[in-house]
Amino acid sequence: KAKTYSALVGIVQAHRSNKNYSQETLELTGQILKKNPDSYSLWNYRREILISLYSSIGLGLAKPSTKISRDVGAEVIDMELSLSAAAITKNPKSYCGWYHRVWVLERLDVDIASELVLCNKFLTADQRNFHCWNYRRHLVSVGNISPKAEFEYSTEKICENFSNYSAFHHRSVYIKDLFANEVLGDLNNVFEEEFSIIENAVFTEPDDQSAWWYYHFLVKFVRDRCLDEMSLYNTLSHQLEVMQGLLEVEESSKWAMMTIIFLIDVMESLNVQGHDREEKMHQRQRMLDNLCEIDPTHRCSYMYRLGRNN
């Protein structure tokens, strides 16, 4: 098999040197890519052949101002999406296989609904396949799909698995769009729901970083958009109580301690003077002292934040 593969690659390389853009060579590249979907050079050569063979229908190196319709480009669409599907089935995290799909999508009128079905299939098999998540966002962009629908899809995937970092990242992308377009409604109600989702996640899996990342993102997002600092201060005070409750259950939770420090720092940045500021600052110091003990790898960082010299 190795000898056969090597021989085929040698033939294709010779054809490329001789600028051979024939149908026969196109078929040969397909055979090799099904065996090895991670050959960047071979995918590039295949696209060169496609452009040469199908230039008459408008296929070119540059993205067209108007996509080639399915009536005209059905042969290319079916052939290339089928090959890409075979490639990403063999290696679901093949950069080349996913990129080729994007290349086709940008030039030809691909059925977006079918592509979303394919994404669902791959994300069911591997919920953290960031290549597929990236491709899905591209589909949303070119297919005029509602950001709210994608936001709800991320809810579904997060509820299936709280450790799904990619789903939390997907959510962070679309919550920005939804707020920019005032789709989600009242700010306080929305963030109450968001914090509820995260609280379920961190109480279920307190050592998993996925939900913690989204939690910190969300607090910063709220801070940057909240005009009423007193209201924000009260929201963060409540979150501080929630994190303290988690720490009572998970006494050595590094992430709970770091989040308590983070919340106190954000509250300190507001133009609000709480009656218990001194108590919070003492708590911050205790958390940093504890982190120095339980996480010696990052001790220097904690010491720096404590304001010590050694």
Side-chain angles (χ1 to χ4, degrees):
K1 288 183 178 179
K3 286 183 179 178
T4 303
Y5 175 80
S6 248
L8 288 173
V9 170
I11 292 170
V12 168
Q13 287 174 339
H15 283 342
R16 192 176 193 186
S17 297
N18 295 326
K19 300 186 183 305
N20 182 328
Y21 300 131
S22 66
Q23 183 68 39
E24 179 185 353
T25 306
L26 183 71
E27 292 170 4
L28 194 56
T29 63
Q31 293 176 35
I32 300 173
L33 288 168
K34 286 177 182 177
K35 297 179 184 296
N36 176 19
D38 296 312
S39 173
Y40 287 89
S41 297
L42 205 55
W43 283 108
N44 286 335
Y45 182 33
R46 183 175 181 86
R47 287 188 283 273
E48 290 172 10
I49 298 172
L50 287 170
I51 289 169
S52 176
L53 291 176
Y54 294 95
S55 60
S56 60
I57 67 169
L59 191 63
L61 186 62
K63 300 176 195 175
S65 55
T66 302
K67 290 185 181 181
I68 301 167
S69 71
R70 182 162 187 85
D71 289 341
V72 174
E75 181 182 2
V76 180
I77 293 172
D78 294 341
M79 175 172 59
E80 295 312 299
L81 292 185
S82 175
L83 177 61
S84 169
I88 59 180
T89 298
K90 185 174 182 64
N91 178 10
K93 296 185 178 179
S94 168
Y95 284 89
C96 313
W98 285 107
Y99 174 74
H100 191 67
R101 215 167 187 87
V102 171
W103 189 86
V104 174
L105 182 68
E106 288 176 339
R107 289 162 177 78
L108 296 114
D109 187 18
V110 173
D111 181 13
I112 301 297
S114 296
E115 291 302 286
L116 286 173
V117 170
L118 177 134
C119 285
N120 291 342
K121 173 186 171 184
F122 275 89
L123 291 176
T124 297
D126 179 4
Q127 295 179 343
R128 302 181 188 183
N129 186 340
F130 69 88
H131 300 273
C132 187
W133 282 104
N134 286 340
Y135 181 64
R136 187 181 182 96
R137 280 189 286 278
H138 193 75
L139 290 173
V140 172
S141 174
V142 301
N144 295 318
I145 296 167
S146 161
K148 194 170 190 300
E150 285 306 290
F151 189 72
E152 291 168 355
Y153 180 75
S154 74
T155 305
E156 176 188 328
K157 303 310 285 185
I158 289 167
C159 289
E160 288 176 8
N161 179 8
F162 286 136
S163 296
N164 194 335
Y165 175 85
S166 295
F168 276 115
H169 174 68
H170 199 68
R171 194 174 190 81
S172 74
V173 170
Y174 292 108
I175 198 172
K176 294 175 185 176
D177 286 347
L178 293 174
F179 269 104
N181 295 310
E182 299 182 348
V183 174
L184 287 181
D186 182 72
L187 188 70
N188 292 329
N189 290 338
V190 171
F191 285 121
E192 187 175 335
E193 292 174 10
E194 291 300 289
F195 281 126
S196 176
I197 292 172
I198 303 171
E199 286 167 23
N200 286 335
V202 299
F203 272 84
T204 304
E205 298 183 36
D207 293 327
D208 187 86
Q209 296 183 32
S210 305
W212 289 113
W213 174 85
Y214 187 68
Y215 186 96
H216 285 230
F217 158 82
L218 191 64
V219 169
K220 292 175 183 175
F221 191 73
V222 176
R223 178 195 61 193
D224 294 343
R225 283 155 184 80
C226 186
L227 300 177
D228 184 351
E229 290 200 343
M230 180 56 74
S231 174
L232 175 57
Y233 186 90
N234 292 334
T235 298
L236 297 180
S237 292
H238 173 68
Q239 285 302 308
L240 192 58
E241 291 174 6
V242 172
M243 290 301 112
Q244 288 164 345
L246 174 58
L247 199 57
E248 289 175 6
V249 179
E250 301 285 342
E251 295 181 357
S252 60
S253 172
K254 165 186 168 181
W255 283 100
M257 293 182 196
M258 291 175 65
T259 300
I260 287 172
I261 295 165
F262 170 67
L263 288 170
I264 292 173
D265 286 345
V266 174
M267 292 168 77
E268 274 291 295
S269 70
L270 303 177
N271 293 316
V272 177
Q273 287 295 325
H275 66 279
D276 56 351
R277 179 179 181 276
E278 187 174 344
E279 180 185 338
K280 284 187 174 63
M281 298 312 292
H282 283 308
Q283 183 182 25
R284 180 182 186 277
Q285 181 168 334
R286 288 197 307 275
M287 294 297 103
L288 285 167
D289 285 333
N290 290 341
L291 284 167
C292 287
E293 296 297 323
I294 67 171
D295 184 21
T297 303
H298 300 100
R299 186 172 183 273
C300 289
S301 172
Y302 303 134
M303 295 287 282
Y304 174 80
R305 296 183 70 179
L306 278 165
R308 296 178 181 172
N309 295 321
N310 51 52

